[in-house]
Amino acid sequence: MIIQAESKHLVAALAVCLPLLGCGQQADSVDFDSVLEHAESPTADETQPVTLVAGAEAVERTVSNRKIIYTADVELVVDDFAVFERQISGVISSHGGYAAERSSDRRHGDHRGGTWVIRVPVANYDAFLSGLDSIGFARSRSETSDDVTEAYVDLEARISNKQKLEERILAMLEQRPGKLTDLMEIERELSRVREEIERMEGRMRVLKDQTSLATVTLRVVEEATYQPPAAPTFSDRIAAAWGGSIRSIGQIATGLVIVAVAVIPWAVMLVPIALLAYRFRLKIAQ
């Protein structure tokens, strides 16, 4: 198997080098795009899919190796905003995170607030969300997760293939004793390949950052008299039913008044006409 793999690499390298080495005697320029079409084609061992086994099924990655972007949006109600500001730094640092962004509004007296964008390691993500309960009441919380494992694996393969192509071009550049125009063409292609590698590596760094650190957007509101909603009692249900009935009666009465106001102009115009028609029929009957 090793000999076969080496033979395949050797054939790919010869497919790249031989056209270039022979072109100096046949033409003044090199059709570099057609040569690179062979060079960029992955060999058989590069195109084999990689699967890992989890239980009885074959999957791309095990659960622990999946690349998932976690985000959360939390609205936190606190009694004292100043106390919260002192406590939140300790909660963040104790979970290995940091505040990427933060802003505060202190203009509204006892209704101060602020927004924090916090990055925490994925391993501490759930513990951090639970730790927020110790410094305030989470009035609302929404979480999302985006599985980017497929994009991550695909990007890894593309970077690997481009790096191998770069190595082949460098080998051609070192071995090529041909004309200056040919060398410039190879260098231009090398520059293009390196630019693509750098762009993909930049995207890879972004994915690694997003999948290794969860993002929590924390919106904080100060309400000193806030009481978390409790389950309704029997008397609360009676009061709610009574209030609902009163509101329904009010809505019906309001609707009738609106209908009456809408009918009055038509009545003012149609009633005299109806009276005249009635008197006219009486005269005819007499």
Side-chain angles (χ1 to χ4, degrees):
M1 295 299 292
I2 296 175
I3 295 174
Q4 291 179 355
E6 291 179 350
S7 299
K8 292 175 182 177
H9 285 293
L10 181 57
V11 171
L14 289 175
V16 174
C17 297
L18 287 178
L20 287 177
L21 293 176
C23 67
Q25 298 176 355
Q26 298 175 0
D28 293 335
S29 62
V30 179
D31 186 2
F32 202 72
D33 292 337
S34 62
V35 175
L36 286 174
E37 185 177 353
H38 295 284
E40 291 191 18
S41 300
T43 57
D45 57 333
E46 293 172 357
T47 58
Q48 291 296 326
V50 178
T51 57
L52 300 178
V53 176
E57 298 179 356
V59 294
E60 292 179 353
R61 298 279 181 175
T62 59
V63 174
S64 60
N65 288 333
R66 298 202 70 82
K67 302 298 180 181
I68 302 176
I69 300 174
Y70 294 97
T71 58
D73 197 322
V74 181
E75 182 184 13
L76 197 69
V77 181
V78 299
D79 296 332
D80 191 322
F81 187 72
V83 174
F84 164 80
E85 286 186 303
R86 292 193 297 269
Q87 293 176 335
I88 188 62
S89 298
V91 174
I92 295 173
S93 60
S94 65
H95 292 87
Y98 68 93
E101 299 178 21
R102 61 181 177 181
S103 62
S104 58
D105 185 358
R106 303 171 180 272
R107 296 173 297 175
H108 303 292
D110 59 349
H111 287 81
R112 296 172 293 180
T115 302
W116 274 255
V117 178
I118 302 165
R119 308 295 308 282
V120 293
V122 170
N124 300 333
Y125 171 62
D126 292 327
F128 173 77
L129 292 179
S130 299
L132 294 176
D133 294 336
S134 64
I135 55 177
F137 177 77
R139 183 157 54 188
S140 66
R141 186 172 87 178
S142 62
E143 300 179 52
T144 60
S145 59
D146 184 12
D147 192 336
V148 295
T149 306
E150 184 176 353
Y152 190 94
V153 173
D154 177 68
L155 192 57
E156 278 186 328
R158 291 170 59 192
I159 291 175
S160 177
N161 288 339
K162 287 294 181 181
Q163 288 174 339
K164 290 176 182 178
L165 175 59
E166 181 185 26
E167 293 174 0
R168 294 168 186 166
I169 296 176
L170 287 172
M172 287 191 297
L173 193 60
E174 293 176 357
Q175 298 172 5
R176 173 72 180 167
K179 296 180 180 181
L180 180 60
T181 55
D182 297 342
L183 296 176
M184 292 178 63
E185 184 70 18
I186 295 175
E187 288 179 351
R188 279 196 297 269
E189 188 60 28
L190 178 62
S191 177
R192 183 187 69 82
V193 172
R194 282 178 174 169
E195 183 179 350
E196 291 181 358
I197 292 174
E198 290 173 359
R199 184 168 61 252
M200 288 188 291
E201 286 178 341
R203 174 59 180 161
M204 177 64 77
R205 285 192 293 271
V206 172
L207 282 179
K208 286 182 178 179
D209 176 72
Q210 292 177 333
T211 55
S212 61
L213 295 173
T215 302
V216 179
T217 301
L218 183 62
R219 294 178 176 85
V220 184
V221 179
E222 181 184 50
E223 295 184 19
T225 59
Y226 177 77
Q227 293 293 331
T233 61
F234 181 70
S235 59
D236 293 333
R237 295 170 63 184
I238 292 177
W242 176 264
S245 298
I246 296 298
R247 285 192 297 271
S248 298
I249 293 172
Q251 291 173 355
I252 293 173
T254 301
L256 292 175
V257 171
I258 293 174
V259 171
V261 171
V263 168
I264 288 174
W266 292 94
V268 171
M269 181 178 65
L270 295 177
V271 167
I273 295 175
L275 290 173
L276 289 174
Y278 178 72
R279 290 177 182 178
F280 182 74
R281 282 198 301 270
L282 288 177
K283 289 181 179 181
I284 292 176
Q286 292 175 357

